[in-house]
């Protein structure tokens, strides 16, 4: 019998000559930069292929956000792992293996994070304003609680 094996690496990565075990951080960063540039270049195709309700700049902003979120990683093995995951995700989108729902979920996730951050900052600003108001009132918070 013939044994069937599955590859966890995208075939296109082998064609591009990607190194999966970087010798040092600089080599891992170079592969990360190659992936970043390739993802940015594929943004117009993503918008066109999946008929996304976002423009190319928004897609590129989301890609940049993901790379910036992982900019603190200094372990070459972990950078390689993230690059492999990114290569897989990008190939799924480029080959139309991902559905529009998958792509939209990826994009909406960022919007939700930004909305939560905005609401958190707004809430903290409102709490700060209320605190300053109560500090300026003659009786302070005690008077406010007595009348509430």
């Amino acid at each position: 019998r013939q044994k069937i094996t599955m590859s966890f690496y995208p075939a296109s990565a082998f064609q591009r000559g990607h190194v999966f075990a970087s010798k040092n951080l600089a080599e891992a960063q170079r592969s990360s930069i190659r992936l970043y540039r390739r993802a940015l270049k594929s943004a117009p195709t993503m918008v066109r292929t999946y008929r996304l309700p976002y423009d190319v700049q928004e897609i590129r902003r989301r890609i940049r956000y993901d790379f910036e979120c992982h900019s603190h990683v200094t372990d070459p093995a972990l950078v390689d792992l993230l690059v492999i995951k990114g290569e897989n995700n990008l190939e799924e989108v480029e080959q139309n293996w991902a559905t529009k729902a998958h792509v939209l979920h990826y994009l909406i996730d960022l919007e939700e994070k930004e909305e939560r951050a905005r609401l958190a900052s707004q809430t903290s600003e409102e709490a700060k304003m209320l605190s300053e108001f109560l500090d300026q009132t003659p009786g302070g918070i005690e008077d406010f609680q007595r009348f509430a």
Side-chain angles (χ1 to χ4, degrees):
R1 283 205 264 176
Q2 186 178 15
K3 191 173 186 178
I4 299 174
T5 59
M6 291 183 64
S7 171
F8 293 102
Y9 306 116
S12 60
F14 289 112
Q15 294 167 355
R16 284 189 301 280
H18 178 78
V19 178
F20 289 105
S22 299
K23 296 174 186 152
N24 53 35
L25 184 60
E27 191 175 292
Q29 287 174 333
R30 279 193 297 275
S31 63
S32 175
I33 291 169
R34 275 195 303 272
L35 172 63
Y36 178 68
R37 288 180 179 159
R38 196 172 131 236
L40 291 179
K41 287 179 185 178
S42 69
T45 308
M46 282 185 223
V47 172
R48 212 173 30 255
T49 303
Y50 290 98
R51 296 185 190 125
L52 299 175
Y54 300 97
D55 61 0
V56 176
Q57 285 74 28
E58 289 175 289
I59 304 295
R60 288 182 174 154
R61 185 176 59 90
R62 174 62 165 121
I63 292 168
R64 181 180 178 148
Y65 174 81
D66 278 347
F67 276 83
E68 286 176 349
C69 283
H70 296 101
S71 64
H72 67 281
V73 177
T74 57
D75 180 16
L78 189 52
V79 173
D80 286 339
L81 178 68
L82 291 170
V83 168
I84 290 168
K85 283 183 165 188
E87 291 275 353
N88 282 331
N89 290 340
L90 187 58
E91 185 171 8
E92 286 177 7
V93 170
E94 288 176 342
Q95 299 295 330
N96 277 350
W97 296 335
T99 64
K100 183 176 181 177
H102 290 110
V103 177
L104 286 174
H105 178 70
Y106 171 77
L107 297 168
I108 290 171
D109 187 39
L110 175 64
E111 289 178 354
E112 289 175 358
K113 287 177 185 175
E114 288 175 343
E115 181 67 18
R116 278 190 230 121
R118 188 186 62 76
L119 287 175
S121 69
Q122 183 180 11
T123 304
S124 64
E125 288 173 13
E126 289 172 355
K128 182 181 174 185
M129 273 183 23
L130 182 60
S131 174
E132 288 173 359
F133 172 75
L134 292 174
D135 289 342
Q136 292 174 0
T137 56
I141 195 163
E142 293 81 21
D143 282 349
F144 181 74
Q145 288 174 339
R146 191 171 30 156
F147 292 113

